[in-house]
C-alpha cells in the first residue's frame, strides 16, 4: 500500500510540476497552439481521411522556433518588493515591485510573475489529504462538486512591465489572490519576455525571499444581540481600560501582594514609609467567550476552514461592541487569548486565527475542560462547532446548566449533513444555527 501511494505521489508531483511549468512558460496563444498540436498528433496517423499531419508539422515548427528563441534572453535585473503587512483569503493582494534594469539597453515587452515556495506538498501532507478524501467518500460526507486543490496557495497574476531604460528602475504593480490562510512564502521574482511569435516565455529569476501573513476570510455579520450581560470582573480597571461602569478612585490602602505596580501612590508611600496603592471601584462589563472547535478527523477540512473564518468574523465584529473577547481553542495545547478594552486588538486575534491548525492529539473533552475552567469569568459564550455529536451535545448541556447564555453555530460540509444535524437536534439551545459550507454568508445573515 505504501509503495502504491509513493508511486501515485511521484506521478502527482510530476503532473503538478509540468502544469506549473506550462502555465508560466506558455502564453495563451502558446497553449492554443500546444492544444492544436495534441489534436493533430491524435488525428495525424490517419493520413487517408485527413490532413492533420500537415498541421502537426506546422504547429510543431512554430513551437520549436518559439522555444529556441528563449535561449537568447540574457537580461539581468534586481528587484525590491513592497508587501503589505497582511493579506486576506480570497481578496486581491496588491503590492509593488521595483524592478531595475542592470543592462546597457532598454528592455521592453517584459512581464513579472512571482514564484511561490513549496507549491508542491510533502509526501506526508499529500498522503494525509488523500486518505481523508477517501474516508469521506466512503462515508458519503464529501461533496465532489466543491472539491478544490488544498495545496494551491494563491492565484498569481502576470503583471506587465513598462519599458525599462538602461540602468534605471521601473515600478510594477503586481497582484495575487491568496487561497489559503497562514504564512505565504514568496521565493523569487520571475522576469519574463515572450518570443516574437508570442507563444513561449523566456525567464530570468531574481531571488527575493519574503513572507506575508494571510488572514482568514471574514463574513459580514448582521447587528445581533450577543448573549450575556454585564458581569463583575476581578482585576477590574486593569482589564477594562476606559470603558465600563466606573474606574473612579475610591481610597488608599496598604499594598497587597499581586497589586499592579502602576496603582502605587508614590507620595503616600514617601510619607508613610511603606507601599500604598490606589483602590478603584469594581468593574462590571460584558465579556464573551468565542470557542473554536478544532477537533476534526479530516486534514484540510473545508468545515474547519469555514469555522475559522466565522470565528474571525466575530472577532472583528465584537471589537466594536464595547466588550472583552476571549478566544479559546485547542491545538498542540490549550489556548486562551483575550482582546478588547485596552488589553489587545481584534487584529491580534486574526493573526492567531491565521495560524490555527486542527488538533492532532487529544479529544473534545480537552476543549470542554478549558471552557468550563474559564466559564465563571464570562457573560456569554459563542460556540463554533464542527459537528453535533454526543460529546458536543453533553458539553453544551453542561454550559447551559450553569446559566450561561449561548450562541451555538454548527458548521457542516453538505446539505445532507445539515438535514441530519437538524433532525438529531431535538434538545438544543434556543440560539442554535446550522451553517453549510458554500452557504456560510447566507446562514450568518439569518443570525439574530
Amino acid at each position: 500500500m505504501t509503495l502504491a501511494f509513493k508511486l501515485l505521489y511521484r506521478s502527482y508531483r510530476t503532473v503538478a510540476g509540468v502544469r506549473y511549468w506550462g502555465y508560466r512558460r506558455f502564453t495563451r496563444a502558446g497553449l492554443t497552439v500546444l492544444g492544436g498540436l495534441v489534436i493533430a498528433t491524435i488525428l495525424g496517423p490517419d493520413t487517408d481521411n485527413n490532413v492533420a499531419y500537415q498541421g502537426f508539422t506546422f504547429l510543431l515548427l512554430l513551437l520549436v522556433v518559439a522555444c529556441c528563441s528563449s535561449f537568447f534572453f540574457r537580461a539581468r535585473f534586481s528587484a525590491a518588493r513592497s508587501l503589505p503587512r497582511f493579506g486576506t483569503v480570497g481578496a486581491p493582494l496588491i503590492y509593488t515591485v521595483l524592478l531595475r534594469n542592470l543592462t546597457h539597453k532598454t528592455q521592453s515587452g517584459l512581464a513579472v510573475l512571482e514564484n511561490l515556495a513549496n507549491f508542491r506538498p510533502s509526501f506526508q501532507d499529500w498522503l494525509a489529504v488523500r486518505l481523508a478524501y477517501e474516508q469521506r467518500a466512503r462515508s458519503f460526507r464529501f461533496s465532489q462538486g466543491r472539491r478544490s486543490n488544498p495545496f494551491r496557495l494563491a492565484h498569481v497574476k502576470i503583471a506587465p512591465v513598462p519599458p525599462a531604460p538602461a540602468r534605471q528602475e521601473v515600478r510594477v504593480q503586481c497582484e495575487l489572490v491568496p487561497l489559503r490562510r497562514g504564512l505565504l512564502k514568496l521565493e523569487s521574482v520571475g522576469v519574463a519576455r515572450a518570443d516574437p511569435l508570442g507563444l513561449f516565455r523566456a525567464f530570468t529569476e531574481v531571488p527575493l525571499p519574503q513572507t506575508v501573513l494571510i488572514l482568514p476570510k471574514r463574513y459580514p455579520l448582521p447587528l445581533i444581540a450577543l448573549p450575556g450581560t454585564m458581569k463583575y470582573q476581578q482585576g477590574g480597571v486593569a482589564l477594562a481600560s476606559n470603558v465600563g461602569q466606573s474606574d473612579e478612585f475610591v481610597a488608599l490602602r496598604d499594598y497587597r501582594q499581586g497589586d499592579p505596580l502602576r496603582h502605587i501612590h508614590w507620595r503616600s508611600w514617601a510619607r508613610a514609609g511603606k507601599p500604598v496603592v490606589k483602590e478603584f471601584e469594581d468593574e462590571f462589563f460584558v465579556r464573551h467567550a468565542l470557542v473554536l472547535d478544532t477537533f476534526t478527523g479530516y486534514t484540510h477540512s473545508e468545515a474547519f476552514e469555514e469555522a475559522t473564518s466565522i470565528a474571525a468574523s466575530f472577532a472583528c465584529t465584537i471589537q466594536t461592541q464595547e466588550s472583552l473577547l476571549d478566544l479559546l481553542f485547542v491545538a498542540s495545547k490549550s489556548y486562551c487569548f483575550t482582546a478588547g478594552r485596552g488589553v489587545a486588538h481584534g487584529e491580534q486575534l486574526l493573526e492567531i486565527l491565521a495560524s490555527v491548525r486542527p488538533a492532532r492529539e487529544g479529544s473534545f473533552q480537552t476543549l470542554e475542560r478549558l471552557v468550563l475552567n474559564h466559564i465563571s469569568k464570562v457573560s456569554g459564550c459563542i460556540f463554533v462547532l464542527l459537528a453535533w455529536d454526543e460529546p458536543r451535545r453533553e458539553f453544551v448541556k453542561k454550559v447551559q446548566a450553569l446559566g450561561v447564555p449561548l450562541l451555538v453555530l454548527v458548521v457542516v460540509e453538505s446539505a445532507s449533513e445539515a438535514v441530519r444535524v437538524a433532525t438529531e437536534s431535538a434538545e438544543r439551545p434556543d440560539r442554535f444555527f446550522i451553517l453549510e459550507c458554500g452557504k456560510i454568508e447566507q446562514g450568518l445573515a439569518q443570525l439574530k
Side-chain angles (χ1 to χ4, degrees):
M1 178 67 74
T2 304
L3 178 60
F5 277 124
K6 286 185 177 180
L7 291 176
L8 283 174
Y9 173 68
R10 289 179 182 176
S11 300
Y12 166 81
R13 281 185 63 88
T14 301
V15 172
V18 169
R19 289 182 61 184
Y20 182 77
W21 180 86
Y23 168 76
R24 295 171 59 80
R25 287 288 184 171
F26 287 97
T27 64
R28 288 188 178 181
L31 290 174
T32 303
V33 172
L34 187 62
L37 181 64
V38 173
I39 296 174
T41 302
I42 296 173
L43 300 178
D46 188 8
T47 58
D48 295 332
N49 297 316
N50 62 68
V51 292
Y53 66 93
Q54 297 178 1
F56 171 84
T57 304
F58 176 69
L59 295 176
L60 180 61
L61 179 61
L62 287 179
L63 289 179
V64 169
V65 171
C67 293
C68 289
S69 67
S70 65
F71 294 105
F72 298 97
F73 183 51
R74 292 289 184 267
R76 294 180 299 109
F77 302 90
S78 65
R81 192 190 293 116
S82 178
L83 283 173
R85 185 180 176 189
F86 301 116
T88 300
V89 172
L93 180 66
I94 300 174
Y95 58 96
T96 300
V97 172
L98 297 178
L99 189 67
R100 178 177 290 275
N101 178 11
L102 301 180
T103 65
H104 295 286
K105 64 177 182 179
T106 299
Q107 300 291 337
S108 58
L110 302 176
V112 164
L113 192 60
E114 289 283 3
N115 296 320
L116 302 180
N118 303 323
F119 70 94
R120 288 180 293 190
S122 65
F123 174 71
Q124 290 75 14
D125 290 340
W126 177 86
L127 181 61
V129 171
R130 178 82 183 190
L131 295 176
Y133 278 138
E134 291 183 358
Q135 182 181 355
R136 276 187 283 185
R138 288 194 299 268
S139 62
F140 301 100
R141 295 182 61 190
F142 182 64
S143 173
Q144 293 288 343
R146 280 201 305 271
R147 183 171 180 175
S148 60
N149 183 1
F151 301 117
R152 189 177 182 186
L153 303 176
H155 174 63
V156 180
K157 295 187 177 181
I158 300 173
V161 180
R167 301 291 179 179
Q168 293 189 30
E169 196 172 64
V170 293
R171 185 181 299 269
V172 184
Q173 182 171 294
C174 299
E175 179 180 339
L176 60 83
V177 180
L179 302 178
R180 301 289 165 187
R181 61 187 174 82
L183 206 60
L184 180 63
K185 298 179 181 180
L186 305 178
E187 192 172 57
S188 61
V189 173
V191 184
R193 183 168 64 192
D195 69 281
L197 298 176
L199 303 180
F200 192 79
R201 298 187 185 97
F203 267 91
T204 180
E205 305 290 341
V206 182
L208 190 62
Q210 208 167 349
T211 59
V212 58
L213 184 63
I214 306 302
L215 303 178
K217 181 179 180 180
R218 275 96 71 197
Y219 295 101
L221 294 178
L223 295 175
I224 58 177
L226 294 173
T229 57
M230 298 184 75
K231 189 173 183 180
Y232 168 70
Q233 301 293 333
Q234 185 177 3
V237 72
L239 293 174
S241 183
N242 294 321
V243 183
Q245 181 177 340
S246 174
D247 61 355
E248 294 182 356
F249 169 76
V250 175
L252 295 174
R253 60 171 174 80
D254 291 342
Y255 174 84
R256 292 196 292 262
Q257 186 175 2
D259 286 334
L261 294 179
R262 63 192 181 94
H263 290 173
I264 292 178
H265 194 265
W266 300 98
R267 292 183 180 179
S268 298
W269 187 356
R271 288 196 299 266
K274 60 181 179 179
V276 176
V277 297
K278 294 177 286 186
E279 190 171 29
F280 296 88
E281 184 174 340
D282 291 336
E283 285 289 340
F284 291 79
F285 52 86
V286 175
R287 184 173 188 170
H288 292 108
L290 177 58
V291 181
L292 176 61
D293 182 3
T294 57
F295 290 92
T296 174
Y298 304 116
T299 304
H300 295 281
S301 164
E302 184 180 2
F304 176 72
E305 294 300 320
E306 293 288 15
T308 305
S309 295
I310 293 168
S313 303
F314 275 99
C316 292
T317 302
I318 295 178
Q319 181 186 6
T320 64
Q321 296 184 1
E322 295 189 354
S323 63
L324 208 62
L325 178 65
D326 297 327
L327 174 63
L328 297 96
F329 63 90
V330 175
S332 56
K333 59 181 181 179
S334 300
Y335 292 95
C336 175
F337 297 95
T338 303
R341 308 176 71 98
V343 179
H345 299 289
E347 186 179 84
Q348 293 173 279
L349 294 186
L350 294 181
E351 294 180 48
I352 294 166
L353 289 169
S355 304
V356 171
R357 294 291 178 264
R360 297 182 180 272
E361 299 178 357
S363 63
F364 185 79
Q365 281 67 33
T366 308
L367 179 62
E368 179 179 324
R369 289 193 295 270
L370 172 65
V371 175
L372 293 179
N373 290 336
H374 190 75
I375 203 71
S376 61
K377 303 177 183 178
V378 301
S379 310
C381 288
I382 303 166
F383 290 166
V384 184
L385 304 178
L386 299 176
W388 187 243
D389 51 14
E390 189 60 30
R392 289 168 175 83
R393 284 196 290 266
E394 291 300 319
F395 170 52
V396 170
K397 287 180 183 179
K398 291 178 182 178
V399 176
Q400 280 186 295
L402 297 174
V404 179
L406 292 178
L407 171 60
V408 179
L409 308 174
V410 180
V411 184
V412 298
E413 291 198 356
S414 63
S416 59
E417 193 173 355
V419 172
R420 181 184 61 81
V421 171
T423 55
E424 294 179 359
S425 305
E427 297 182 10
R428 60 187 187 185
D430 294 333
R431 306 187 71 184
F432 181 91
F433 298 89
I434 303 171
L435 303 176
E436 181 186 343
C437 292
K439 301 178 181 178
I440 299 295
E441 187 169 349
Q442 298 92 313
L444 291 174
Q446 305 301 318
L447 298 183
K448 54 186 179 179

